[in-house]
Amino acid sequence: MSKRKKRKYLVETSAVPVALGQSTPAHCDHFTQQTADGMLSTSVYIRKEFVQRWIRDYIGMAFTVDHFSDLSQALFHLNQAFSVRAVKTENHAIAVLLQQKGAISNCRNMAKELGRLAVGELKRFDRLFRSRISNSCGCRVGGKEMRVDYNHFFDDLRRFVGSVDVVSDCPINEFLGFSKHGRAPRLLEIEHIHKTKSGKQLAKLYEATKWITCTECARIGDAVISLEQPKTVCLVHIDHDFKVLCAATGRENKPILSERAVEN
């Protein structure tokens, strides 16, 4: 009897933390059970989102904490971020560090630990997701490597942040095909797409014939992921919009419950 071939799962950005084991035990068990029959994979684009959503914020926290002489002052300052996502990322980072290191009161030590967290999390991501789908959207940020020498640690972190800054001439424009009857216009022909967060943003950019840089691309990430997903791969996601997006592209998807849903 031939051995059954494992399914290939493409883990969408919202499901990456639980895939890395950074959620409650029940939520992690749920993810493991749902994906036990397959092999986990990523894309250069999803890695780009992980870097921009988590790693870059961790490094930014390290620089901010290092600026203050008192940790409570640094936390008060970080709490003033206007982005809800940024505050969630910062709380997540502190929770992980407290879990790993226990109490930390010294600002310089906390800053170093946050920097090490950024380095370690990106390495964990790359170890878990050794398999990648083809970079058909042409993302030039997600494949950047982080190289650090702890003798000049913060300089190397700054260098990495600079390397994942905004790209103005990204091939994503050709991939989406705004100027012709390309992928994005065809996707937008489907009415339900306009009810998704990324679909609404994609429609606005298309109507304005906007040139896409990393700034605009951050608003349409879900749509890009769904357009890039190969037919042979099942998308694993927590974000409910992917049910609509995958139905529109004719791709398989597997919803994972959120942490709150599992615990409730």
Side-chain angles (χ1 to χ4, degrees):
M1 184 180 293
S2 61
K3 190 176 180 179
R4 186 178 178 182
K5 190 175 181 180
K6 276 196 166 189
R7 301 177 75 188
K8 191 169 185 178
Y9 289 121
L10 178 63
V11 181
E12 182 268 326
T13 315
S14 67
V16 166
V18 66
L20 291 172
Q22 293 176 351
S23 190
T24 60
H27 193 211
C28 293
D29 287 344
H30 167 67
F31 179 87
T32 300
Q33 291 167 9
Q34 292 298 308
T35 58
D37 62 338
M39 178 181 68
L40 305 183
S41 66
T42 192
S43 67
V44 170
Y45 190 87
I46 291 171
R47 188 178 185 273
K48 182 267 299 184
E49 289 206 324
F50 179 70
V51 166
Q52 292 183 336
R53 188 176 299 183
W54 300 95
I55 304 303
R56 195 169 59 181
D57 283 358
Y58 291 160
I59 294 172
M61 283 183 72
F63 295 154
T64 300
V65 168
D66 196 47
H67 172 76
F68 290 89
S69 58
D70 181 88
L71 187 55
S72 63
Q73 294 174 8
L75 294 176
F76 284 139
H77 179 80
L78 288 167
N79 197 49
Q80 297 305 308
F82 292 105
S83 168
V84 174
R85 194 206 78 198
V87 174
K88 288 176 67 176
T89 302
E90 289 158 5
N91 286 338
H92 179 88
I94 292 168
V96 171
L97 283 184
L98 291 175
Q99 184 183 57
Q100 293 178 355
K101 304 292 181 180
I104 305 173
S105 57
N106 181 279
C107 276
R108 173 45 67 105
N109 289 341
M110 176 64 112
K112 288 180 178 177
E113 291 302 336
L114 284 164
R116 290 190 182 102
L117 178 65
V119 175
E121 288 303 286
L122 191 55
K123 286 182 178 179
R124 287 187 65 204
F125 180 97
D126 290 337
R127 283 197 300 268
L128 180 64
F129 301 109
R130 294 181 185 277
S131 174
R132 295 183 188 176
I133 63 170
S134 175
N135 183 26
S136 58
C137 73
C139 177
R140 291 178 176 169
V141 171
K144 298 289 185 180
E145 292 185 31
M146 185 190 292
R147 295 187 178 93
V148 294
D149 181 333
Y150 288 94
N151 292 319
H152 37 81
F153 187 40
F154 287 99
D155 289 337
D156 288 342
L157 291 178
R158 288 189 185 90
R159 193 174 296 110
F160 176 74
V161 170
S163 75
V164 295
D165 204 354
V166 174
V167 174
S168 59
D169 59 344
C170 183
I172 191 74
N173 291 276
E174 183 179 350
F175 175 78
L176 293 173
F178 277 3
S179 60
K180 54 187 177 182
H181 195 63
R183 293 179 178 87
R186 292 200 302 272
L187 183 67
L188 291 170
E189 289 173 0
I190 301 168
E191 184 180 353
H192 293 313
I193 291 298
H194 296 261
K195 297 178 181 178
T196 66
K197 296 186 291 291
S198 62
K200 289 175 184 176
Q201 293 298 323
L202 185 65
K204 289 178 182 178
L205 294 171
Y206 176 59
E207 288 166 9
T209 59
K210 184 77 173 176
W211 182 258
I212 308 299
T213 69
C214 294
T215 302
E216 292 76 25
C217 201
R219 306 175 204 157
I220 58 171
D222 291 356
V224 174
I225 290 169
S226 64
L227 286 170
E228 194 180 42
Q229 179 188 353
K231 290 182 178 179
T232 55
V233 175
C234 176
L235 188 75
V236 176
H237 61 92
I238 293 177
D239 192 329
H240 293 298
D241 278 1
F242 279 106
K243 293 180 180 179
V244 177
L245 291 163
C246 289
T249 58
R251 301 298 193 260
E252 189 180 2
N253 72 101
K254 174 172 281 195
I256 299 294
L257 294 175
S258 68
E259 184 274 337
R260 288 297 179 94
V262 169
E263 294 299 338
N264 286 341

